[in-house]
Amino acid sequence: MPDTSSSLLDAAHVAFITGTVGINLAACRPGGFPALSRAVGCRVSADCGQVSVLVGAAAAADVIDAVRRSGAVAVVFSDPPTHRTLQLKGSNALVLPPEPGDVALAHAYRDAFAAILAPFGFAEGVVRAFLSCPDDDLLAVRFSPSAAFSQTPGPHAGEPLPGRS
Amino acid sequence: MKIRLESIRACLEGVIPGTIATRAADGTPNIAYLSQIEYVDCEHVALSYQFFNTTRRNILASPYARVAAVDPHTGAHYRLSLQYLRTEESGPLFERMKVRLAGIASHTGMSGVFRLLGADIYRVLDIEQVPGDTLPPPPQPCNLLASLRACTESLCGAPDLDGLLARLFDGLQTHFGIEHAMMLMFDEAAGRLYTVATRGYADSGVGSEIALGDGVIGVAARERTPIRIGHFTAEYSYGRAIRDNMARNGVDGIDTEIPLPGLADSRSQLAVPVMACRQLVGMLYVESTQDLRFGYDDEDVLVALAGQLGAGIRLLQQMQETPEEAPPAAPPMAPAGRPLSVRHYAENDSVFLDGDYLIKGVAGAILWALVRDYVDSGRCEFSNRELRLDRRIRLPDLSDNLEARLILLARRLVERDAPLRIEKTGRGRFRLCVRRPLELVDVPV
C-alpha cells in the first residue's frame, strides 16, 4: 500500500488518475496566454506526493515553455463513461526527461484509452491519431499537487475535494 | 496557410469534448471540459455558460482563453486562441445553444444538470494545428454544393406551391438522402405553424399545428434561427410539444387535434426558418434516426435551400392571385347516395364530415364557404382571388398563403377519403367535386 499520509491524494485518487482517463493540462507564462495540451499517461510517486504526466515535446511546446517559466500547472483527469472529473493544481512543476518505462506507459495508455472509447463509437485510429506522439519526443511534467478539485459536471464542479486539504 | 474557423467546424460538434484553459488573476492556470462550442461566424465562437465556476471567474478577470478541439473523423487536433467579448442571455444564438445543450445533456446523461445561463461570445484570434498524426478524411456521401445546385434548379421549375413542395421533398431525398421532412406554414395572426406537406411518415400529419416556441420547430420559428440537434432530447421532442398542445386545446371540448408526424426514434433534427423579405413564411424540418446526421454543412445547405424556397413561395403566391381565364366548366357531377353531413362550428371554424373531424381555422372557413355556395347555388368553380375577398373566410392578412390552405384542405379531404374533393383547374382556380348530396349543419358560437 502506498503511504499517502503526507499527500493530498489518497489511494483511490491515485488509481483514478493513473487509470484509463482523459488527461489534459494547462499552464500560463507570466502575462501570457494560457497554454494547454493533452497528456498520454500519468504516474504517481510511491508516497503519492508527486504526479508526473507525459506529454509530447512538439505537441505540448507552449505548455512546456509556460511550465518552465512559471512552475504553475493545472491537470484535469476525466473518465469518459462516467464523466467523473478531477483537477489537480501545482506550483512547483518541472519538465523532466522521461524515466525508464515511460514509453511503455504511454503505449499502454493509448491502447487502453482507444479501447475504452470504442463502445462510444470512436474509431481506434482516430483516438490513436490525436494521442500520437513519437517515443523519442516524450517528456514528463512533474509536480506536487497543492490543490485538488472535483470537476464532475454539475453545480458542485470546482469544489475542493473533501477530507484531505 | 491560415486555418479558417469554418473549415474546422466538425471539431466544434463536441463529439470529442473540447477543453478550455484560462488563467486566474494571480496567474494560476485552470483547465476544464467544454460541453458545447457553437460556431457563430467565421471569426466567433460561443461557449456555454452553465455554472459560475473557475473558468467563468477567470475569463471575467482575464478575457484570454485557449480551447482545444479534435476532429472526430481525422483526429486532427486544433488549438484556438480566444478573447471573451460578451454574454448573451436571450435571443436566437442563446435559444439555439439552449436547445442543442438539451440534446447534449440528454446524450451524456446530464439532463437536469446542464442548464444554459448564457452564451459566451469569443473572438477567435488564432487557430493552430497541433503536431501529430491524422487520418485521411472519410469520403463524403455526396457533394453538397452540387446537390444544392441540382435541388434549386428543380425548385425553379415548379408551377405552383404543391409542385414546389413535391420537388423539394424529391430533391431532399434524391440529392441529400434525407428521407423524413416536413414543411409547415406560418399563420402570423394565430402565432402558429400548420403542417402543409410531409414526406417519409406513416401518417402525413397534414393539418397538425404547433405554437411558436413549442419543441425544436417552434423555438426555431420564434427565434427565426436554424436549430440543429445531433442527439435525442426529450425536452424539445414532439411528445412534449404534443402533450403541451393537448393540454391547451383540451379546454374547448372539441377534439380537433391532428397528431404531429414525427419519428418515434428521432435522433438528429434540423429546423430551418423559411424566410422571404425577412418575413417568416414557414419552417422546413428534417430529421433522422441517426445520431449526428446533420452537420454544419447540411445546415448551410438547407438554409440556402430555404431562401430559395421562401422566394419561390412568395412568387408563386403572387401568380395565384392573378388567375388564368376560367376553364370551361366541367359537366356537373351527379351526387348520389346517402347525404353527407357537413357540420361547421363557428367557434373555431372546425368542420366535421359525418361526425369525423376534418379541419379547422381558415381552411375550415374556406370549406364551409365552398359547400354553402354549392348547396345554395350549385356552384363548383372557384378562384383564389374571390376567396381572398370573401368576408366569410376572414383571411388573417394579405400575406397569408391561401394556396397553402387550399393544399392543406385538399390533402385532408383525400386522406379522410371524403366524398368531397378540391381539384386545381388552372393557375389560381379550382373546382369543388361533390360525390354525395350534402347536408349542412351550422353550429353558431
Side-chain angles (χ1 to χ4, degrees):
Chain A
M1 284 292 287
D3 169 19
T4 65
S5 53
S6 61
S7 166
L8 200 58
L9 305 178
D10 62 22
H13 296 139
V14 172
F16 180 72
I17 67 175
T18 57
T20 311
V21 291
I23 310 171
N24 287 272
L25 69 159
C28 305
R29 280 176 61 162
F33 238 84
L36 79 175
S37 173
R38 291 200 81 99
V40 289
C42 171
R43 57 179 155 75
V44 177
S45 61
D47 65 358
C48 299
Q50 292 190 318
V51 173
S52 298
V53 292
L54 305 178
V55 293
D62 271 7
V63 166
I64 288 165
D65 184 46
V67 167
R68 284 187 172 133
R69 287 164 191 264
S70 74
V73 71
V75 188
V76 71
F77 302 86
S78 185
D79 178 39
T82 62
H83 308 292
R84 186 182 161 207
T85 303
L86 179 70
Q87 177 153 186
L88 301 178
K89 295 201 180 185
S91 55
N92 65 348
L94 292 172
V95 179
L96 299 169
E99 290 187 358
D102 279 352
V103 167
L105 175 64
H107 280 256
Y109 173 83
R110 256 191 300 270
D111 291 345
F113 202 62
I116 207 166
L117 287 183
F120 297 93
F122 292 101
E124 189 185 327
V126 171
V127 180
R128 288 181 178 282
F130 74 75
L131 293 177
S132 63
C133 159
D135 291 345
D136 58 4
D137 204 33
L138 219 53
L139 288 174
V141 174
R142 191 183 75 193
F143 66 103
S144 315
S146 52
F149 306 89
S150 162
Q151 269 194 316
T152 303
H156 300 296
E159 290 181 1
L161 287 189
R164 285 269 162 174
S165 53
Chain B
M1 192 176 73
K2 185 176 182 308
I3 300 169
R4 296 183 61 91
L5 183 60
E6 65 270 27
S7 63
I8 62 157
R9 289 188 300 185
C11 304
L12 309 183
E13 300 282 14
V15 176
I16 297 170
T19 46
I20 181 168
T22 55
R23 68 192 286 263
D26 69 356
T28 305
N30 191 73
I31 181 159
Y33 280 89
L34 291 167
S35 17
Q36 197 178 17
I37 311 175
E38 181 82 8
Y39 173 84
V40 177
D41 59 37
C42 60
E43 291 179 338
H44 299 88
V45 292
L47 308 182
S48 61
Y49 159 38
Q50 300 171 53
F51 310 102
F52 193 85
N53 52 21
T54 308
T55 297
R56 181 79 187 160
R57 238 187 329 271
N58 287 356
I59 59 131
L60 293 180
S62 164
Y64 299 102
R66 241 195 207 128
V67 158
V70 175
D71 186 312
H73 308 297
T74 65
H77 188 169
Y78 298 92
R79 290 189 194 122
L80 287 66
S81 299
L82 304 182
Q83 179 185 10
Y84 168 71
L85 299 178
R86 65 179 186 279
T87 299
E88 292 183 6
E89 290 163 2
S90 63
L93 175 68
F94 175 83
E95 295 295 337
R96 198 164 76 211
M97 288 182 71
K98 194 172 152 193
V99 176
R100 283 166 62 77
L101 184 65
I104 294 162
S106 168
H107 184 64
T108 52
M110 290 291 162
S111 292
V113 175
F114 286 176
R115 189 169 73 89
L116 192 67
L117 297 178
D120 287 344
I121 317 278
Y122 289 80
R123 176 177 290 127
V124 179
L125 302 174
D126 170 57
I127 302 173
E128 59 167 326
Q129 184 168 358
V130 179
D133 294 344
T134 58
L135 300 182
Q140 292 299 311
C142 68
N143 180 329
L144 287 174
L145 270 183
S147 298
L148 176 64
R149 174 177 170 170
C151 204
T152 53
E153 275 175 0
S154 157
L155 291 188
C156 283
D160 54 23
L161 181 59
D162 211 10
L164 185 72
L165 297 178
R167 285 164 185 246
L168 169 70
F169 292 145
D170 286 346
L172 290 176
Q173 215 163 1
T174 310
H175 301 297
F176 300 104
I178 294 173
E179 304 286 341
H180 309 282
M182 55 181 104
M183 178 72 202
L184 300 94
M185 301 298 287
F186 181 45
D187 180 339
E188 192 167 2
R192 298 176 75 80
L193 297 148
Y194 57 96
T195 311
V196 69
T198 65
R199 179 70 63 90
Y201 299 103
D203 291 314
S204 85
V206 162
S208 54
E209 295 187 1
I210 53 171
L212 285 189
D214 273 357
V216 175
I217 302 173
V219 174
R222 187 187 65 204
E223 302 298 330
R224 313 287 199 267
T225 184
I227 296 184
R228 186 167 56 87
I229 299 185
H231 305 289
F232 169 77
T233 165
E235 223 166 307
Y236 289 90
S237 74
Y238 287 116
R240 178 77 165 253
I242 290 165
R243 271 197 310 281
D244 292 352
N245 249 331
M246 286 185 136
R248 267 196 299 275
N249 290 331
V251 291
D252 63 7
I254 304 170
D255 180 14
T256 58
E257 195 62 37
I258 298 170
L260 274 162
L263 297 174
D265 49 353
S266 177
R267 308 201 74 84
S268 293
Q269 311 176 332
L270 174 52
V272 178
V274 177
M275 312 284 290
C277 302
R278 305 174 79 176
Q279 282 185 318
L280 182 67
V281 173
M283 293 294 300
L284 172 61
Y285 174 79
V286 298
E287 63 181 335
S288 165
T289 53
Q290 283 174 47
D291 277 313
L292 296 165
R293 166 64 178 78
F294 308 114
Y296 278 107
D297 288 349
D298 297 286
E299 180 180 323
D300 283 354
V301 158
L302 286 207
V303 168
L305 200 56
Q308 173 94 357
L309 193 60
I313 289 172
R314 277 282 181 269
L315 198 63
L316 290 169
Q317 188 182 343
Q318 282 167 14
M319 285 169 60
Q320 297 300 327
E321 303 294 323
T322 54
E324 287 172 334
E325 288 295 302
M333 292 179 80
R338 163 177 79 76
L340 173 73
S341 150
V342 183
R343 181 180 291 265
H344 170 250
Y345 291 87
E347 178 188 340
N348 60 357
D349 279 320
S350 56
V351 175
F352 290 70
L353 300 182
D354 275 346
D356 292 332
Y357 172 66
L358 178 75
I359 199 83
K360 69 178 173 184
V362 175
I366 291 172
L367 180 61
W368 186 243
L370 300 181
V371 294
R372 270 245 89 99
D373 285 357
Y374 171 80
V375 168
D376 292 347
S377 62
R379 249 189 103 184
C380 296
E381 310 288 334
F382 298 89
S383 77
N384 291 20
R385 188 156 63 184
E386 65 185 311
L387 281 188
R388 182 168 295 289
L389 300 173
D390 194 321
R391 302 180 65 171
R392 292 172 296 178
I393 292 169
R394 302 187 304 276
L395 271 177
D397 69 63
L398 268 179
S399 68
D400 188 79
N401 200 308
L402 178 61
E403 186 81 355
R405 312 277 188 178
L406 287 168
I407 292 173
L408 163 60
L409 178 55
R411 293 211 171 144
R412 281 293 290 168
L413 289 168
V414 170
E415 284 178 9
R416 306 301 297 180
D417 201 20
L420 272 180
R421 293 295 157 92
I422 286 178
E423 283 175 8
K424 204 169 164 72
T425 52
R427 192 180 70 216
R429 295 195 169 277
F430 64 92
R431 175 180 299 142
L432 180 70
C433 304
V434 182
R435 289 202 297 267
R436 273 166 52 190
L438 303 183
E439 190 178 84
L440 306 192
V441 184
D442 195 11
V443 183
V445 180

